[in-house]
Amino acid sequence: MLPILKPGKSAVRAADRGKRNSLVSLYNNLLVDLVLSDAMDKRIRKVTNADWVFLSNGEEVIEMADFIDTPEFEELLREIMLTIFYGKSVIELGFSPEGFSIYSVPRGNLDTVKKIIKRDLTDEVGISYEDDEYLLNLGKDNDLGLFWKTSPHAIFKRNGGSDYAQFCELFGIDILAGYYDPEDETGREEMETAFASRGAGGSIVTSNKSKVETIGRSSGEGGKNGLHRSFLDWCDEQMLIGVISQTMTTKDGSSLAQGKVHEATEEDVNKADRRWVRRILNRHLVPLLEKRGYPVKQGFFKTVEEDRLDPEQRMQIAKEVDEITEDGVDDSFFYETFGLPRGNKKERQNPTPESDPNNPDPAPEEKKKDTSDPKEEKGKRTKVKAKNLSAFGRLRNFFAHAPR
């Protein structure tokens, strides 16, 4: 085994005996790597930034919106997600008059063989984390987490980065070579004095008849395709594939089409994360909330999946549906979906004509063309307005069709 991997191997042996402190410390130390930590945060943000709602009988429970929109609920989502990376989490849930609170038990204080929480790392006894309804016991006791798969590449990258830094220090600055005439008695001394007083930077003083070569520099040159740089890029790619299953949404992609394929792959991972967190909340958190009087009876947490179509795609689909269907698409869809203000286009195209006092418009009744059949109209009774009749006429009209 490589010497640089020995600390990780000893940490795993300790974790197999239930003592996870060394393993957790190793993981936390490797999170200094920005690529690894950002990939982890990116996956967690897809859960914490999701639109969470609580539904009961198919309708949203408005009272639970205030509970969801709290820092404590977001912290709970984050700690649940960290279980994937560390392998084990024990989260204490608190309910008080001040509100809901959570506390994530330090993972290094867990003894997964005795299934206890140790107050001190040297203790052999502690508090059991099993069968306590106010403790979320997440993950398997023998699960080392996703970080165990990425830790070798993070260690390789750290040591490779040190070698790369040393290479840049040795060969990143040009070396000045001073050639003096060996027949000049003071030539070498003057050349050395000049180089010593010039400041930082490599220099060499030799006879003009001497020769100096650098062996092996071309195999480790720090260019784009150099050995050191390509090794570090390989370590980054392996960590990204381990965490988010692809590389193009974090590093530069070669094409838009391939980038979309990688984005779809990442979305599959994010969807699985949201589904797993949702099941944890509904199985463990909802019963506790119901005991505490929260309006969660026969309800469940859910995420509202966002529409991944861009505006141009939605517009194209709406236009096609409007053309091929008989009812079409309501105008309000376009205004509400794309946030456009309503205009007065119809009023501008069909302005109301101004009335001429010399040629008044005919009454609306006269404008309508009578297309009815005279024979049908003859058989119809005409309703007479009561206000045009006298009192006797109104009374006679009332009983006009009474049976005799």
Side-chain angles (χ1 to χ4, degrees):
M1 177 185 292
L2 293 175
I4 59 176
L5 295 180
K6 286 185 178 180
K9 189 65 175 180
S10 61
V12 172
R13 291 197 186 100
D16 291 338
R17 298 192 301 270
K19 303 181 185 337
R20 303 175 70 95
N21 179 56
S22 298
L23 188 67
V24 173
S25 298
L26 174 65
Y27 291 169
N28 292 338
N29 184 274
L30 295 179
L31 279 177
V32 177
D33 189 292
L34 296 179
V35 174
L36 179 60
S37 61
D38 181 70
M40 179 195 72
D41 288 335
K42 185 177 183 180
R43 193 163 160 180
I44 294 176
R45 287 195 301 267
K46 291 294 184 178
V47 174
T48 58
N49 290 344
D51 188 8
W52 288 90
V53 294
F54 192 87
L55 302 179
S56 179
N57 296 324
E59 296 183 358
E60 182 180 358
V61 180
I62 304 300
E63 294 82 355
M64 290 297 295
D66 294 335
F67 175 84
I68 294 174
D69 190 23
T70 58
E72 290 77 14
F73 184 77
E74 182 172 343
E75 185 180 358
L76 175 61
L77 297 179
R78 179 178 178 83
E79 290 298 331
I80 293 175
M81 278 297 298
L82 286 177
T83 306
I84 298 176
F85 299 95
Y86 285 91
K88 186 70 180 178
S89 294
V90 176
I91 306 171
E92 181 181 7
L93 305 178
F95 299 91
S96 65
E98 289 75 18
F100 173 70
S101 63
I102 76 160
Y103 173 73
S104 180
V105 177
R107 295 174 176 85
N109 289 55
L110 299 177
D111 190 323
T112 54
V113 171
K114 298 180 180 179
K115 304 182 186 305
I116 60 174
I117 303 172
K118 298 186 292 186
R119 296 182 181 273
D120 189 82
L121 296 178
T122 59
D123 292 346
E124 294 298 330
V125 294
I127 304 171
S128 174
Y129 57 73
E130 287 191 318
D131 301 326
D132 190 328
E133 64 176 358
Y134 291 100
L135 290 178
L136 287 183
N137 179 17
L138 305 178
K140 298 179 180 179
D141 292 326
N142 61 350
D143 188 0
L144 302 181
L146 188 59
F147 281 153
W148 173 239
K149 297 180 180 179
T150 62
S151 58
H153 305 288
I155 295 173
F156 283 142
K157 180 183 176 183
R158 176 173 295 184
N159 288 272
S162 299
D163 295 338
Y164 189 23
Q166 185 179 13
F167 167 81
C168 294
E169 182 181 2
L170 294 175
F171 301 104
I173 303 176
D174 293 335
I175 298 176
L176 296 181
Y179 300 97
Y180 68 92
D181 187 354
E183 295 180 359
D184 187 356
E185 297 181 356
T186 61
R188 179 183 179 89
E189 183 179 354
E190 293 175 355
M191 188 71 71
E192 291 178 345
T193 302
F195 280 147
S197 61
R198 65 178 289 269
S203 60
I204 184 172
V205 178
T206 181
S207 169
N208 57 5
K209 296 181 180 180
S210 301
K211 183 179 180 181
V212 177
E213 287 186 3
T214 301
I215 301 175
R217 178 183 176 184
S218 59
S219 63
E221 189 167 354
K224 182 178 181 181
N225 297 319
L227 181 61
H228 287 289
R229 184 66 177 272
S230 60
F231 177 72
L232 297 180
D233 288 341
W234 176 79
C235 291
D236 285 341
E237 291 173 357
Q238 297 304 305
M239 289 188 292
L240 290 174
I241 292 173
V243 177
I244 57 178
S245 298
Q246 48 82 38
T247 61
M248 281 194 177
T249 60
T250 302
K251 299 172 74 78
D252 294 335
S254 59
S255 68
L256 178 61
Q258 292 182 0
K260 288 185 176 181
V261 173
H262 283 232
E263 184 180 7
T265 302
E266 182 184 357
E267 180 57 27
D268 289 341
V269 177
N270 298 330
K271 187 180 295 185
D273 289 341
R274 290 192 293 269
R275 183 170 58 248
W276 181 72
V277 173
R278 184 182 71 239
R279 290 169 178 170
I280 295 295
L281 295 175
N282 292 328
R283 173 176 292 185
H284 299 284
L285 181 61
V286 171
L288 292 179
L289 295 177
E290 186 176 357
K291 290 182 180 180
R292 287 292 176 171
Y294 286 84
V296 297
K297 190 174 182 180
Q298 296 181 347
F300 55 90
F301 287 97
K302 188 179 186 301
T303 56
V304 179
E305 298 297 333
E306 53 185 50
D307 188 0
R308 301 187 63 81
L309 295 177
D310 56 46
E312 294 182 359
Q313 292 175 324
R314 287 198 293 268
M315 172 66 79
Q316 185 63 29
I317 294 174
K319 289 173 62 178
E320 293 179 359
V321 172
D322 187 62
E323 293 174 358
I324 65 177
T325 58
E326 183 177 352
D327 297 332
V329 179
D330 191 76
D331 292 346
S332 60
F333 169 81
F334 296 96
Y335 294 111
E336 295 173 0
T337 302
F338 303 104
L340 302 175
R342 285 184 175 271
N344 53 359
K345 183 177 180 181
K346 291 183 178 180
E347 296 180 4
R348 294 196 304 268
Q349 291 179 349
N350 302 313
T352 304
E354 298 181 358
S355 59
D356 188 354
N358 298 327
N359 296 315
D361 291 340
E365 292 79 3
E366 298 177 3
K367 290 183 178 180
K368 297 178 180 178
K369 184 179 288 187
D370 188 7
T371 59
S372 59
D373 189 353
K375 294 181 179 180
E376 293 181 1
E377 291 294 332
K378 186 176 181 180
K380 292 183 179 180
R381 292 190 178 96
T382 304
K383 186 176 180 181
V384 182
K385 294 182 179 180
K387 66 180 181 178
N388 295 330
L389 303 175
S390 62
F392 178 76
R394 293 197 298 270
L395 181 62
R396 186 177 62 180
N397 184 68
F398 180 79
F399 292 102
H401 306 290
R404 298 182 182 179

